[in-house]
C-alpha cells in the first residue's frame, strides 16, 4: 500500500464536513503556536471598532436614503411636477413631506379646506409659511398637469415614511458616534470644520494611528496616494489618486478637507494654489486631505 502524505491527508479531510474534538484540538494548538503574532485589544481599540461599524452603517443608510429621494422625485414629476419649484428648497423638506403624507396628489391639495391647509403648512414650517402660501399652493394644485394615480399616491406616502425612518436611524447613529468620539479626546476634533461624524469615521477607519509609521502609508491606506503610470522609460509626472484603499476613509477625509478649507485660511490658500495650477476641485481637495493627514 502507498502511504498518503500528511498534507494530502489534511486536504482530503477538509473536503468533508468535520466537527470533532480532534479537529478542534488541532485548531486550538495551531493557534497557540502563533501566539507571538497575536495582539491584545484595549478598550480604546473597541471604541475604534464600534466607530468603524457605525461609520460604515451610516454610509449605507445615507445611500439608501439618497436612492429613496431620487425615487420620490421621480414620482412627483408624474403626479405634481410643479411642486418642486414651488418650494425654494425643493420637495425634500419637512413642510413638503408633511403635506404629501396627508395629500399626495394635486386633487387632494386642491380639495383641502383652506384653514386646514394653512395650519398644516404653518405648523410644519414653524411659522415660515402662512395663509398666502397656502392659497398659492392650492391654485397651483388646481392648475397642475400631473396625473392622478392612486398607486403613485401610495408609493409617495410610503417612500416618505421610509425616508423619515432612515433620518431617525441616522440621527441615533450619529449621536452614538459623537459619544464615542468625545471619549477619545483626540486633537483632530480641535480642527475647525471637522465634526463628530467625520471625525468618528476617520477614527474608525484608521484605528490606532501608530500603526502607520509615515503619513504616506496612511494616505495609501485611504487611497489618496498618486497612482503610478509607467511604460518602458516613460513615467507620467501627473497621475490621478489610486483610490485603492478604504473608500469610507477617503470619503471622510475629502469631506473633512472640504469643511476645513471653508474654515481655515491656511488650507484655503493651499486649495487656491492647487486650483491655480489647473487641478480640478476634487483633485485639489485630495491634496488638502493629504495635507490634513500629515498634520494628524
Amino acid at each position: 500500500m502507498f502511504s498518503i502524505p500528511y498534507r494530502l491527508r489534511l486536504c482530503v479531510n477538509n473536503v468533508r464536513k468535520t466537527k470533532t474534538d480532534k479537529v478542534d484540538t488541532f485548531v486550538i494548538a495551531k493557534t497557540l503556536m502563533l501566539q507571538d503574532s497575536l495582539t491584545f485589544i484595549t478598550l480604546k481599540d473597541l471604541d475604534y471598532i464600534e466607530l468603524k461599524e457605525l461609520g460604515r452603517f451610516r454610509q449605507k443608510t445615507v445611500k439608501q436614503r439618497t436612492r429613496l429621494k431620487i425615487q420620490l422625485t421621480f414620482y412627483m414629476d408624474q403626479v405634481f411636477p410643479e411642486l418642486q419649484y414651488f418650494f425654494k428648497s425643493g420637495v425634500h423638506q419637512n413642510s413638503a413631506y408633511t403635506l404629501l403624507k396627508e395629500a399626495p396628489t394635486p386633487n387632494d391639495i386642491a380639495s383641502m379646506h383652506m384653514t386646514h391647509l394653512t395650519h398644516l403648512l404653518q405648523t410644519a414650517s414653524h411659522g415660515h409659511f402662512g395663509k398666502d402660501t397656502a392659497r398659492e399652493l392650492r391654485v397651483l394644485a388646481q392648475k397642475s398637469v400631473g396625473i392622478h394615480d392612486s398607486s403613485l399616491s401610495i408609493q409617495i406616502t410610503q417612500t416618505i415614511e421610509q425616508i423619515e425612518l432612515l433620518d431617525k436611524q441616522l440621527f441615533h447613529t450619529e449621536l452614538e458616534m459623537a459619544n464615542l468620539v468625545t471619549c477619545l479626546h483626540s486633537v483632530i476634533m480641535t480642527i475647525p470644520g471637522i465634526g463628530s461624524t467625520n471625525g468618528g469615521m476617520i477614527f474608525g477607519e484608521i484605528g490606532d494611528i501608530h500603526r502607520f509609521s509615515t503619513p504616506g502609508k496612511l494616505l495609501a491606506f485611504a487611497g489618496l496616494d498618486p497612482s503610478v503610470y509607467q511604460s518602458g522609460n516613460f513615467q507620467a509626472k501627473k497621475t490621478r489618486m489610486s483610490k485603492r484603499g478604504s473608500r469610507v476613509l477617503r470619503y471622510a477625509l475629502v469631506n473633512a478637507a472640504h469643511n476645513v478649507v471653508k474654515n481655515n485660511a491656511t488650507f484655503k490658500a493651499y486649495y487656491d494654489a492647487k486650483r491655480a495650477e489647473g487641478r480640478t476641485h476634487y483633485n485639489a481637495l485630495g491634496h488638502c486631505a493629504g495635507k490634513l493627514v500629515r498634520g494628524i
Side-chain angles (χ1 to χ4, degrees), residues 151-211:
S151 63
L152 287 174
S153 302
I154 295 174
Q155 293 178 79
I156 288 171
T157 55
Q158 294 294 325
T159 302
I160 292 174
E161 289 180 4
Q162 291 180 55
I163 292 173
E164 292 178 338
L165 175 60
L166 292 178
D167 285 336
K168 292 180 181 178
Q169 292 178 352
L170 284 171
F171 173 77
H172 291 296
T173 301
E174 292 173 358
L175 182 63
E176 182 62 24
M177 290 178 70
N179 293 334
L180 291 170
V181 168
T182 303
C183 298
L184 293 175
H185 304 289
S186 175
V187 291
I188 194 176
M189 298 307 300
T190 62
I191 302 175
I194 296 184
S196 57
T197 301
N198 261 337
M201 294 172 68
I202 293 172
F203 290 143
E205 293 298 318
I206 293 177
D208 185 4
I209 198 169
H210 298 292
R211 296 187 302 141

Side-chain angles (χ1 to χ4, degrees), residues 17 23 28 42 56 130 154 177 206 220 235 252 263 285 294:
K17 180 181 178 181
V23 174
I28 293 172
T42 64
R56 295 192 173 190
I154 295 174
M177 290 178 70
I206 293 177
Q235 184 171 356
N263 292 277
L285 282 181
R294 293 182 179 91

Side-chain angles (χ1 to χ4, degrees), residues 231-244:
S231 178
N233 295 326
F234 171 78
Q235 184 171 356
K237 295 181 179 180
K238 292 184 178 181
T239 58
R240 299 180 179 180
M241 64 178 67
S242 64
K243 294 186 178 182
R244 285 184 171 272

Side-chain angles (χ1 to χ4, degrees), residues 26-43:
F26 174 77
V27 174
I28 293 172
K30 190 174 181 180
T31 303
L32 291 175
M33 291 171 62
L34 302 174
Q35 189 173 6
D36 293 338
S37 62
L38 299 179
T39 56
F40 293 96
I41 296 179
T42 64
L43 293 176

Side-chain angles (χ1 to χ4, degrees), residues 114-134:
M114 180 59 66
T115 304
H116 180 62
L117 180 59
T118 303
H119 180 265
L120 188 71
L121 291 174
Q122 200 168 30
T123 304
S125 64
H126 301 287
H128 183 71
F129 298 131
K131 189 173 182 179
D132 293 338
T133 305

